[in-house]
Amino acid sequence: MLHWRHSCSMGEDPAFIVDDLQNQIGFENEFGSKFKGCKTTTTIGDKTYVIGGGNDESTLPVEVRIFDKATGNWVTPIVLGSKPNSCKGLSAISLNDDRILIVKKGSAPDDCILFLELDTWFVREQKKIRGTEVVAWSKGVRGDAEKPVVISGPSGVGKGTLISMLMKEFPSMFGFSVSHTTRAPRGMEEDGVHYHFTEQSIMEKEIKDGKFVEYASVHGNLYGTSIEAVEVVTDAGKVNISVPPFLGQSILLCYKQLWIPIVVAINHIKSLFSKKKDLNLIKILASANSKCFSKKLIDYILLFHLGLQRCILDIDVQGARSVRASSLEAILIFICPPSMEELETRLRSRRTETEEQILKRLQNAEVEMEQGKSSGIFDHILYNDNLDDCYEGLKKLLGIDGAAAATQISVPQGIDLPSDHSVSKMDNKIIINYGTPELEKASKSLIVLDVSSLKGGAPGRTRGLDVYAID
Ligand SMILES: Nc1ncnc2c1ncn2[C@@H]1O[C@H](COP(=O)(O)OP(=O)(O)OP(=O)(O)O)[C@@H](O)[C@H]1O
């Protein structure tokens, strides 16, 4: 028996309980045949969205069906975006009628909040293309992750050189997305490491589904960057950290003028930060005054826990245009040569292209320069005349030109979503109440999700979610 309440905004009619609605409109048989485990219902206009997941005992995939009151029909929509992992139950509440916020039970803290988009720009576009009912999932992410960075510009301008300099100085801060390709793997190439090797028909469908920020056909094979691949890099700092050998060293923290030496072992650090009770320590680490014997150590710890890895993309102007049109909120930087003559000199002195290729690249460069400077695709233009000056300019744009970067870190909090809870909405705040149902105690334990600053969305992540607990 479920007792998760789905309430309307404060001041509106009282909340209803899922079971009541099922009985009211006689969904029981339909649910029984299509869904196992828990299901929630959210009604917006004529449509009732039935979202099913697991229950206390079992873990099941999250499914979506729609009951259209106007026609009296059930619709199984095309479901786009990054599909949620199975869960042990869920709770749902509508936000502004264009998306439903889902809180998953029994999920990792970074995987418990999802958005089912019903009428966002992406979903509307997909409905137009397909002429059928479409919904899209988007994973909710707390705080503002670092935006992906696109470095674009004509061939030979120095994009690769600048990115290599960044990677060398900040090895843990940036990551590349893994591209997709339909060509066969060569030699030691590994699937998911060098490329996501895929089939033509699958990739074509995924392009149609809006899952790629950019793609191109080269010599009969498709190549492309998926939104998921970019998002995964941003998430990756939390899980895919390679622990450096010096992690067992001491670190020295400065917190409120007090220097605290801490000696930590590798495994201890890993377990330490996976526990909620040690969040204070993370807070200390994240504080602007953190200092350590090895600066790298702090970099790695912060990345490990705060997911600061930032995706950097080196793409041509056409690809940059696609990124601008996508839901990825990237920073787009155009690198401009001091002159076409200098660009030609650089291309020739690199000695990596044939004469024919050089001429083709120079021809393309004319168009790219025009688009780069005037099309409104790019947020910033950097002139790569003196390499060191340009690099300094790039670091400044990315906010990593001084010690200031660490001060911008916001510390996430874990959510241990209890099995018995109710969800309600008040303005831009979603309140998860897991106190006892009696009114006098109901305010005891609350988790508040502030959704006033949401950004991004399907087919990528929805970022900007603020979460805090009130005891
Ligand atoms: N500011 C600079 N002054 C002089 N040479 C430079 C400068 N920046 C880069 N170079 C040189 O120009 C050549 C081209 O640079 P790079 O390979 O980084 O260009 P790119 O934009 O990545 O090209 P592509 O798109 O073809 O990969 C390299 O030999 C590099 O060392």
Side-chain angles (χ1 to χ4, degrees):
M1 172 72 75
L2 290 170
H3 285 289
W4 296 350
R5 280 167 193 274
H6 300 261
S7 72
C8 311
S9 304
M10 289 294 241
E12 295 177 19
D13 291 341
F16 57 79
I17 298 179
V18 172
D19 308 73
D20 293 347
L21 184 69
Q22 283 178 223
N23 295 335
Q24 272 172 31
I25 51 178
F27 284 173
E28 201 63 69
N29 288 338
E30 276 291 347
F31 285 167
S33 59
K34 285 287 172 190
F35 289 113
K36 290 197 181 100
C38 136
K39 52 259 166 193
T40 66
T41 57
T42 309
T43 301
I44 298 169
D46 275 345
K47 290 179 182 161
T48 298
Y49 297 85
V50 185
I51 304 163
N55 56 32
D56 276 338
E57 288 80 40
S58 66
T59 305
L60 290 171
V62 183
E63 312 272 358
V64 184
R65 291 194 80 207
I66 304 168
F67 180 75
D68 189 342
K69 212 170 110 192
T71 61
N73 290 331
W74 281 96
V75 181
T76 303
I78 291 177
V79 184
L80 301 174
S82 38
K83 294 223 169 67
N85 299 327
S86 309
C87 69
K88 287 194 163 191
L90 47 87
S91 218
I93 193 155
S94 134
L95 293 186
N96 306 326
D97 290 356
D98 65 354
R99 70 193 77 195
I100 297 172
L101 182 139
I102 308 287
V103 186
K104 279 166 69 187
K105 205 178 76 175
S107 300
D110 65 347
D111 186 37
C112 61
I113 299 161
L114 292 157
F115 295 87
L116 182 69
E117 297 191 5
L118 317 172
D119 193 30
T120 55
W121 182 84
F122 174 71
V123 169
R124 282 196 299 274
E125 286 299 301
Q126 292 294 323
K127 279 181 186 170
K128 262 190 252 162
I129 295 167
R130 292 152 191 279
T132 182
E133 192 65 64
V134 176
V135 293
W137 287 109
S138 173
K139 187 173 159 181
V141 177
R142 273 165 275 160
D144 286 326
E146 297 290 315
K147 292 178 177 178
V149 183
V150 172
I151 307 285
S152 194
S155 175
V157 73
K159 302 182 293 293
T161 308
L162 288 163
I163 292 173
S164 302
M165 291 167 85
L166 268 183
M167 300 291 277
K168 197 170 167 209
E169 190 177 355
F170 305 96
S172 52
M173 200 177 265
F174 297 95
F176 283 107
S177 58
V178 178
S179 301
H180 282 61
T181 181
T182 57
R183 80 154 165 78
R186 289 182 198 133
M188 302 290 284
E189 283 180 341
E190 272 179 64
D191 186 28
V193 177
H194 300 95
Y195 279 100
H196 294 292
F197 293 101
T198 182
E199 284 169 29
Q200 185 92 13
S201 58
I202 295 175
M203 190 157 162
E204 279 172 358
K205 183 180 178 301
E206 289 183 341
I207 290 169
K208 207 175 135 207
D209 287 353
K211 290 187 179 172
F212 278 78
V213 277
E214 55 98 23
Y215 60 92
S217 179
V218 183
H219 308 308
N221 285 308
L222 281 173
Y223 291 81
T225 308
S226 74
I227 289 180
E228 183 63 19
V230 176
E231 298 277 23
V232 158
V233 173
T234 313
D235 293 349
K238 290 175 193 157
V239 287
N240 287 343
I241 196 69
S242 52
V243 180
F246 46 78
L247 204 62
Q249 292 174 1
S250 325
I251 54 175
L252 190 62
L253 304 172
C254 178
Y255 183 59
K256 292 190 178 170
Q257 312 289 319
L258 195 70
W259 286 94
I260 313 163
I262 302 176
V263 182
V264 277
I266 295 173
N267 289 335
H268 186 53
I269 281 195
K270 278 186 176 172
S271 61
L272 191 70
F273 289 98
S274 60
K275 286 180 197 159
K276 198 176 159 187
K277 68 183 171 67
D278 291 303
L279 274 174
N280 275 341
L281 183 55
I282 303 179
K283 280 182 193 164
I284 298 169
L285 282 170
S287 78
N289 293 328
S290 293
K291 288 197 178 168
C292 59
F293 293 132
S294 157
K295 185 182 175 299
K296 272 212 163 79
L297 176 60
I298 285 284
D299 280 348
Y300 276 90
I301 293 171
L302 292 178
L303 272 165
F304 180 58
H305 299 286
L306 304 177
L308 286 184
Q309 192 162 311
R310 195 165 188 182
C311 190
I312 192 154
L313 300 134
D314 174 347
I315 36 183
D316 61 78
V317 174
Q318 210 47 44
R321 184 191 293 279
S322 305
V323 174
R324 171 56 82 215
S326 79
S327 64
L328 278 186
E329 294 190 321
I331 295 180
L332 291 105
I333 302 171
F334 184 76
I335 313 290
C336 200
S339 65
M340 289 306 279
E341 291 72 33
E342 173 63 16
L343 184 70
E344 184 169 351
T345 307
R346 286 182 198 173
L347 264 179
R348 289 190 184 284
S349 59
R350 195 169 65 175
R351 296 175 186 277
T352 47
E353 279 79 29
T354 62
E355 181 62 22
E356 196 188 342
Q357 285 169 332
I358 290 174
L359 293 177
K360 177 95 182 119
R361 282 170 194 232
L362 288 172
Q363 200 184 337
N364 288 344
E366 303 266 0
V367 183
E368 288 170 336
M369 295 279 287
E370 241 171 67
Q371 294 188 340
K373 286 182 179 174
S374 61
S375 60
I377 302 173
F378 293 95
D379 300 301
H380 306 281
I381 297 180
L382 280 178
Y383 285 87
N384 185 14
D385 189 352
N386 177 288
L387 184 60
D388 289 335
D389 290 349
C390 186
Y391 181 58
E392 285 307 314
L394 178 60
K395 286 201 292 182
K396 206 166 179 183
L397 285 184
L398 300 178
I400 48 174
D401 55 330
T407 62
Q408 294 159 6
I409 295 162
S410 69
V411 181
Q413 291 175 317
I415 308 173
D416 290 330
L417 194 67
S419 52
D420 202 4
H421 65 266
S422 65
V423 179
S424 56
K425 187 176 160 209
M426 190 168 65
D427 300 326
N428 279 320
K429 294 189 172 56
I430 306 300
I431 294 148
I432 302 172
N433 188 333
Y434 57 98
T436 52
E438 296 97 70
L439 265 181
E440 68 273 14
K441 293 182 189 166
S443 62
K444 275 277 164 65
S445 307
L446 300 175
I447 293 172
V448 180
L449 312 183
D450 187 332
V451 292
S452 55
S453 309
L454 296 184
K455 294 178 193 126
R461 309 282 189 261
T462 300
R463 301 190 184 271
L465 195 61
D466 190 16
V467 182
Y468 52 94
I470 302 173
D471 289 322

